[in-house]
Amino acid sequence: AELLRSRYGEVDPADLLSKGRFDLRKAEQHPQWLVEAREKEHAPETVEFGISSFVYTARRPFHPQRLHDAFCAAGGGRRGGEGGGGGGEGG
């Protein structure tokens, strides 16, 4: 496997596309090839891995310091790349 570093989730598409990494003949030889497609309906990843999301809306924005304090108290702290944003290495 090749590890790619990213900053804020940005990756050069050329690093991912047209690399010739997928080999259909090799994939067809794997015992699990198309098992799910032949035997049962596909379970969406949202169900399989418990992924969910929601949109929170409010007239007033969160107070930055109180939001920070709440995350730190809950064990959230700072995650992600520089600047505390999501993406990048580590989340």
Side-chain angles (χ1 to χ4, degrees):
E2 180 181 351
L3 297 178
L4 301 174
R5 289 194 180 272
S6 68
R7 183 171 221 151
Y8 302 106
E10 293 178 13
V11 177
D12 183 356
D15 290 339
L16 303 173
L17 304 173
S18 300
K19 292 291 194 170
R21 293 180 176 141
F22 179 76
D23 182 345
L24 181 60
R25 290 188 180 126
K26 185 175 180 181
E28 289 173 332
Q29 301 304 314
H30 193 281
Q32 295 297 310
W33 173 252
L34 294 179
V35 168
E36 184 176 16
R38 292 182 183 139
E39 295 180 6
K40 58 186 173 183
E41 287 188 33
H42 172 71
E45 284 74 16
T46 53
V47 173
E48 185 175 357
F49 299 107
I51 299 170
S52 64
S53 64
F54 70 94
V55 176
Y56 174 83
T57 58
R59 288 186 172 183
R60 293 177 51 192
F62 289 111
H63 185 280
Q65 187 61 51
R66 288 195 299 257
L67 180 61
H68 177 268
D69 294 345
F71 276 132
C72 288
R78 181 172 170 240
R79 294 185 55 166
E82 290 180 22
E89 279 191 333

